[in-house]
Amino acid sequence: MLQMSKQYEPEFKKKIVRLHLEEGRTLKGLAAEYGVSKANISIWVKQFREECQTNEEAKADYDYMKENLKLKRQLAELQKENDFLKKAAAFFAKEID
């Protein structure tokens, strides 16, 4: 028995691709959360990247997503470093007293 493949709205696909590329969410996590196979998500990401080769608007979106993900990761790293420095400063302030 052949199973009909489920059709997804373009906006839904774009949302999933954006969550993966912009927020760094894993395919496995997105598949579990949205009930979509990892293979489908992988295909959508591949299609979006291919579209970026010919569509300037899609390329601009892709570049924005990559930059946003990079900045989010950098911010998280800097927040960790800042928290560590605050703890170290508090520790040394206690030692001085």
Side-chain angles (χ1 to χ4, degrees):
M1 179 178 202
L2 289 175
Q3 190 177 24
M4 297 276 300
S5 63
K6 185 172 179 181
Q7 294 292 326
Y8 296 98
E9 295 292 322
E11 287 303 313
F12 176 76
K13 292 178 183 181
K14 188 172 183 175
K15 176 183 177 181
I16 300 294
V17 169
R18 182 173 296 278
L19 288 170
H20 175 65
L21 295 176
E22 188 174 321
E23 296 185 11
R25 305 265 308 268
T26 64
L27 297 182
K28 183 178 179 179
L30 289 168
E33 184 175 341
Y34 290 95
V36 179
S37 73
K38 289 189 328 184
N40 274 347
I41 298 171
S42 180
I43 289 168
W44 299 342
V45 170
K46 181 181 177 196
Q47 288 172 342
F48 180 73
R49 286 185 174 140
E50 288 172 356
E51 182 183 348
C52 291
Q53 302 300 316
T54 58
N55 182 333
E56 285 299 317
E57 185 177 325
K59 180 164 180 10
D61 281 349
Y62 180 68
D63 290 342
Y64 169 79
M65 285 186 253
K66 281 182 16 182
E67 181 69 14
N68 196 18
L69 179 59
K70 176 184 156 197
L71 292 173
K72 283 181 179 183
R73 287 180 176 160
Q74 187 178 22
L75 176 62
E77 182 64 30
L78 291 173
Q79 285 173 329
K80 285 180 195 175
E81 291 175 9
N82 195 28
D83 290 342
F84 174 78
L85 291 173
K86 285 179 183 178
K87 289 177 185 176
F91 173 78
F92 287 116
K94 284 182 187 177
E95 291 291 317
I96 292 173
D97 292 339

